[in-house]
Amino acid sequence: MTTIVANCTLFDGVSGDMLPGRSLLIRDGRIAEIHDRPIASAAATVVDVAGRTVMPGLIDAHFHAYAAEVNLATLDRTRPELRALYARKALEDALQRGFTTVRDAAGGDLSLAVAIERGLIRGPRFFYSGLALSQTGGHGDMRGTGPDCGCGYCGSLTILADGVDEVRKAAREQLRLGATQIKLFLSGGVASPSDPYWMAQYCDDELRAAVHEAATRRTYVMAHAHTAEAAMRCIRNGVRSIEHATILDRAAAEAVAAAEDVYAVPTLVTFRKLIDEGAALGLTPVSLAKTVEVEKHALRSLDLLHGAGARIGFGTDLLGPLMASQAEEFALRRQVQPAIDILRSATSVNAALLNQAGELGAIRPGYCADLLVVDGNPLDDVAVLARPERIMLVMKGGVVHKNILPA
């Protein structure tokens, strides 16, 4: 299959320049050629975008396909078949918003990956962690603290593993099941009932065991880490992807920037939406109070990371109905970052984080033909990406999944 995307203004995912008058030749799902003049081919389908912006498909590096509810404790009481149907909708909606790739941060599994590959779900490219690893009483332990806390645990998103041997075995099992990276929790969090957000979780020996097992598969660990202490432990022990990085000081931000091949993935939008809408959707008062406290620090931490020159990925971490606000992350970051850096985070930087540099995140010959046609200039107004009617076309691997361009 050959397609020409004609009359483009090109943002390539890396350069800060917008290049008018470009034409793309797409063949067999990849970008074959880029020209600064009109091109023709009798064998090609031509899509004339009338000067609109063409840019790489977006990448969300912190997504939860199975998280159908804001109150995560209820997921363990939901039938797996129903969770799968929720996941299908979440993934298909994300693709329609322009996210051609997501990295699932807890729960995503081989079944979803195969369903996408076979076309049963028309969703984004899917990189999954399997079940995230949590210590007992940690951020992944959704049992409460009172008399009705339950005597067992059946995790839909996480697995409990305590001690080096259990962590090692749990990591090996998720890798056996095809996980593209390992996820674990190094600090408390807002959604869990029994741990303060500042709580340190997992000891260094346990953490290093997970990092070692991931390395045997030539992959990496992503770690939930709100605090500066947790971020520093990530750096010391070989974690590659620091999730949230919400309550950092200057020293921690500079350490992230100085570390080799370490990324921070802030998730501002989830805190904002949980504060605005979480209580009405079942978020407990305890979790809401923690969210309010954590959100006070999130924007400053992003500002510190940006000022230090850290590698900053793009993630959202939204739950249930809040996933509709996925692209609002762009506007929130604009308070402290220029648009070009936010766009790079959601394209070329995230591709490198996912070990997909050379495949995803940029519009260059040889790359996968994952691209968007945007009615507007996201370098002038990055919030245009949050308006669905302005995402005129979504292409993944050369296949069009959305097209509202005028005929």
Side-chain angles (χ1 to χ4, degrees), residues 56-63 90-103 122-126 269 314-316 318 323-330 345-347 350 370-372 385-386 391 393-396 401-402:
L58 303 172
I59 302 172
D60 188 339
H62 198 114
F63 189 83
L91 290 162
E92 293 185 343
D93 288 352
L95 183 59
Q96 292 297 301
R97 287 190 287 270
F99 288 89
T100 55
T101 299
V102 299
R103 182 181 65 168
R122 291 173 62 86
R125 299 180 190 275
F126 191 65
V269 68
F314 183 98
T316 61
L318 290 161
M323 289 184 187
S325 301
Q326 193 176 16
E328 291 183 22
E329 180 78 14
F330 290 101
S345 289
T347 55
N350 265 0
D370 292 6
L371 58 85
L372 311 180
L385 297 173
I391 308 295
L393 183 142
V394 177
M395 178 183 288
K396 187 188 82 168
H401 289 268
K402 174 182 179 180

Side-chain angles (χ1 to χ4, degrees), residues 146-202:
D148 59 345
C149 66
C151 59
Y153 183 75
C154 176
S156 53
L157 303 181
T158 62
I159 183 172
L160 302 184
D162 295 294
V164 169
D165 289 343
E166 285 191 13
V167 168
R168 191 182 302 280
K169 183 176 182 179
R172 287 174 176 173
E173 179 67 2
Q174 299 314 305
L175 291 165
R176 181 189 73 82
L177 294 170
T180 49
Q181 65 282 324
I182 293 296
K183 164 77 178 294
L184 47 73
F185 302 103
L186 288 190
S187 76
V190 302
S192 41
S194 64
D195 56 334
Y197 68 84
W198 43 257
M199 175 185 172
Q201 298 181 11
Y202 275 134

Side-chain angles (χ1 to χ4, degrees), residues 222-223 225 230-231 234-235 239-245 256 262-266:
M222 57 187 295
C234 287
I235 294 166
V239 170
R240 185 160 180 262
S241 185
I242 303 172
E243 305 304 299
H244 312 303
V256 173
V262 170
Y263 296 75
V265 184

